[in-house]
Amino acid sequence: MKKSHLNIMNRSFTVLDERRARLLKDPETLKLKKRVQDIREYAVDHLEELLEEAASNLEENGVEVIMAPAGLQAREAIQDQLEGEVVVAKSKSNTAGEILLTEYLEEEGVEVLETDLGDRIVQMHQESRPSHPIGPAAHLDLEMIAEIVSSYLGKEVESQPRSILEAVKEDILTRLPDIRVGITGANSVAAQDGALLMVHNEGNISMLSLLDVHIILVGIDKVVATLEDAVSVVKLETIYATGKKTPAYMNVVSSPSKTADIEQELLKDMYGARRVVVVFLDNGRRKVLEEGGESLTCIGCGSCIVNCPVYRVSGPDFGYRRHLGGRGVVLSRYLEDDQTCTDSGLFKCTLCGNCTRECPLEIPTNQILELLRRECVEGGLQKEEHQVIRDNIKKRGSAYRD
């Protein structure tokens, strides 16, 4: 990432830190934090039974459920649901970024219209990569964004937040009426209720959920026991991610659109989706579970990267696709392999522990990274620079060359 982008990103992170400082110390937040820790630990410990229960109840509610063992199967399953569509609308989804869904669909001739403002700005700027899981354009300042939007839309857009918002919104809203398929993620899945909970501030997920076909891509690790648990999780995520107590919107989806207002006869396809399809993605998550599963308790708030010294100087180069920072490096080992883990920044981490201190779930990411380093070195996989230092010490008793 360019130094100018890093400076902007770090300013954004400082503003976020200041905005949420009081909330993080609030007694109600501390109680919520403990409750969510218990919820997520239980969910990970009982993942298989909760996943089975979720799939069964979703299907009973009329939702189509697909289990995807890896990214390729998830991408192909989603493409199969498009029914020949050449344009789809999409909301922000780190899971979709994980499997390169947009890139795959576009290679197959399907245009993907991002509807989240930050993701749409990044999509307009091919040089950029998302810099925060909730605020993907945190590395771009006002003037840069205005220039990007103006160039993409082919018209002059003032470097004013409202002007930029209106220009991007107009472009999206002009195109949405001709789009039949919406693709979103989900923040939590309530097993007992057969329902999915999605949070957002812009209202775009509400619009996408009303399109003819609503496809929801979600990692199997997002399953919790009840809808009440799911709400607790997203409330804590919102506090840590944005410094606000609650998001503007919480969408609960448990079935396609339906009504029983005529003599209690159940009729489908009123105003909302005719079909709801949920794609549950494994893609290495069960491997994480086999080795303790601590990283799976993550709620996706991005708090771990805000004060990470390595991320502040490296940006998204430290991490794996949309899984940013040290936790992303950990996941890359299971989503891909040891080489990918090394390339994602395994040996960049200072092991300072800021990520664990900042994490509402207290995931010991630095300790996991240290363990993975040891395993990689013992397996003969290490950075070339480190091998040179090792050889110098063996030959000369010093890390330095003569």
Side-chain angles (χ1 to χ4, degrees), residues 86 98 115 128 131 162 230 240 250 266 275 329 338 342 348 374 385:
V86 295
E98 170 191 323
T115 58
S128 281
S131 54
R162 173 56 60 180
Y240 272 79
M250 294 189 189
L266 186 62
R275 296 173 56 220
V329 175
D338 287 345
T342 300
K348 287 183 179 179
R374 184 180 305 119
E385 298 89 338

Side-chain angles (χ1 to χ4, degrees), residues 248-262:
Y249 299 95
M250 294 189 189
N251 279 39
V252 177
V253 174
S254 63
S255 76
S257 171
K258 59 188 178 184
T259 180
D261 281 350
I262 303 174

Side-chain angles (χ1 to χ4, degrees), residues 214-248:
H214 182 192
I215 301 172
I216 304 166
L217 174 66
V218 59
I220 60 173
D221 53 309
K222 295 300 183 182
V223 179
V224 296
T226 68
L227 191 55
E228 290 80 5
D229 289 346
V231 171
S232 292
V233 169
V234 300
K235 282 181 66 178
L236 188 67
E237 177 188 358
T238 301
I239 289 171
Y240 272 79
T242 69
K244 303 292 184 181
K245 286 188 176 182
T246 55

Side-chain angles (χ1 to χ4, degrees), residues 46-110:
H46 300 82
L47 180 58
E48 294 297 347
E49 59 191 81
L50 287 174
L51 183 60
E52 183 178 350
E53 183 179 16
S56 175
N57 288 332
L58 282 164
E59 288 176 337
E60 186 176 337
N61 291 342
V63 175
E64 301 168 45
V65 175
I66 299 170
M67 294 292 177
L72 176 61
Q73 289 84 356
R75 294 193 298 264
E76 291 178 341
I78 290 171
Q79 185 187 18
D80 288 343
Q81 308 307 313
L82 301 187
E83 302 176 342
E85 296 297 311
V86 295
V87 184
V88 299
K90 178 180 162 294
S91 72
K92 180 162 52 215
S93 169
N94 294 323
T95 308
E98 170 191 323
I99 65 170
L100 301 177
L101 178 62
T102 296
E103 292 82 350
Y104 172 82
L105 291 178
E106 290 182 343
E107 286 177 2
E108 296 297 318
V110 179

Side-chain angles (χ1 to χ4, degrees), residues 112-127:
V112 178
L113 176 68
E114 295 286 356
T115 58
D116 173 84
L117 179 59
D119 267 337
R120 183 60 173 154
I121 290 167
V122 171
Q123 186 181 38
M124 290 177 174
H125 191 228
Q126 294 298 315
E127 298 177 15

